[in-house]
Amino acid sequence: MRITDAKVIVCSPGRNFVTLKIVTEDGIHGLGDATLNGRELSVASYLTDHVIPLLIGRDARRIEDTWQYLYKGAYWRRGPVTMSAISAVDTALWDIRGKALQTPVYQLLGGASRESVMIYGHANGDTIDDTVAAVGEYLRLGYRAVRAQCGVPGVAHAYGVGRGRLFYEPAEPGQPLETAWSTERYLNIVPPLFERLRHEFGPDVHLLHDAHHRLTPIEGARLGKALEPYHLFWLEDPVPAELQEGFRLIRQHTTTPLAVGEVFDTIFDCHTLIEEQLIDYIRTTVVHAGGISHLRKIASLAELHHVRTGSHGATDLSPVCMAAALHFDLSVHNFGIQEYMRHTAETDRVFPHQYALDQGQMHPGDAPGLGVDIDEALAATYPYSRAYLPVNRKEDGTIHSW
Ligand code: GCO
Ligand code: MG
């Protein structure tokens, strides 16, 4: 089954997405998400200029061999641009394989390990009261797990506080928005937020929080310790993730479960975290960490070390990634939870999909392949529009992790 054609589709139905479409001699096509928020065209070029010429004529069934060919064959390994491109190829080839065999991808990955996939939504508000109301809204929709963020008094544009009630989208056109940061002010507001949430909603709801890489290890340890009485499902990204060893310090001080991995490219970014059991959830994604094939390797290593998965699922991951993530989630034994931020109605129209949400649980559907497509004519009506994620500064003007 030879690959005869491949192309990159860049569109912006509400936000920018990069999609790889691979076509075989049998007329089957597969899709892969290649979106890298704020750097989309670099991946589009990597695919168009360097990867697609290598794909034409290859056997679409050789998924693992193609992965290794693109990874080892480039000599220059890893990095978000390269790995997003490889992820897109891998995802598209799994989609093709499923369609060719007339079976949903999760059936090729060992079949369903559960009936459906638990997701968490994003509740946020300017104040603790607003965030409490937003969490209540998710619970009324049937969610069992909610991430809660709230504004920080004295800090303009605090992370995680969005524009709409069920939507959050940080990338903006124009020059990057400059947001402010104060660790002390932040550490003062988060424990009272969760004290209130537990008080309002009782012990059963799973509560999550994202520190978005802003703390030092000892600050992350302090936050984890302060949150222990409220039994979080997880505390996400307490520190920037480059230094895996930094988590040893956090781990010595707190039993709050830790989750990390949305910016990781490969297993090499997280093997120390996993092998030393420094985290509880690994949050690598299909689109950025090497596709379904590589994510399965990460999950297998994690399974040996009591670490569960928690795939990143922000809106900058397209419905193609979301579909692939759900097939992965349904199949791996050590699944933990899946993030789900709603896409806009325009995005959903451009990417018709089989996956469905019911009472805080999702299922990828039983269509052959991934069960997601792209309406190319509609996509063409939403041209690319440059947008950047914010840049963060401390109160004295020093650049800080966003
Ligand atoms: C999350 C994330 C995202 C990222 C975004 C960056 O946990 O959902 O932290 O919202 O900020 O994916 O592109
Ligand atoms: Mg995050």
Side-chain angles (χ1 to χ4, degrees), residues 116-119 141-143 355-363:
S116 61
V117 166
M118 179 169 70
I119 57 153
L141 292 171
Y143 282 63
Y355 62 76
L357 165 65
D358 182 29
Q359 300 281 311
Q361 299 284 127
M362 291 183 86
H363 192 282

Side-chain angles (χ1 to χ4, degrees), residues 147 159 210 212 236-237 262 283:
R147 182 187 105 160
Y159 167 76
D210 189 352
H212 219 257
E236 177 179 330
D237 290 337
E262 67 184 41
R283 297 188 62 255

Side-chain angles (χ1 to χ4, degrees), residues 72-86:
K72 297 191 168 144
Y75 187 66
W76 312 105
R77 295 182 189 180
R78 304 165 63 187
V81 174
T82 302
M83 294 311 297
S84 300
I86 293 178

Side-chain angles (χ1 to χ4, degrees), residues 37 120 122 147 159 168 170 210 212 236 262 283 312 314 316 339 341 389 402:
N37 203 1
Y120 68 92
H122 281 207
R147 182 187 105 160
Y159 167 76
Y168 171 64
D210 189 352
H212 219 257
E236 177 179 330
E262 67 184 41
R283 297 188 62 255
H312 184 206
D316 46 293
E339 180 181 25
M341 285 168 75
L389 285 169
W402 176 72

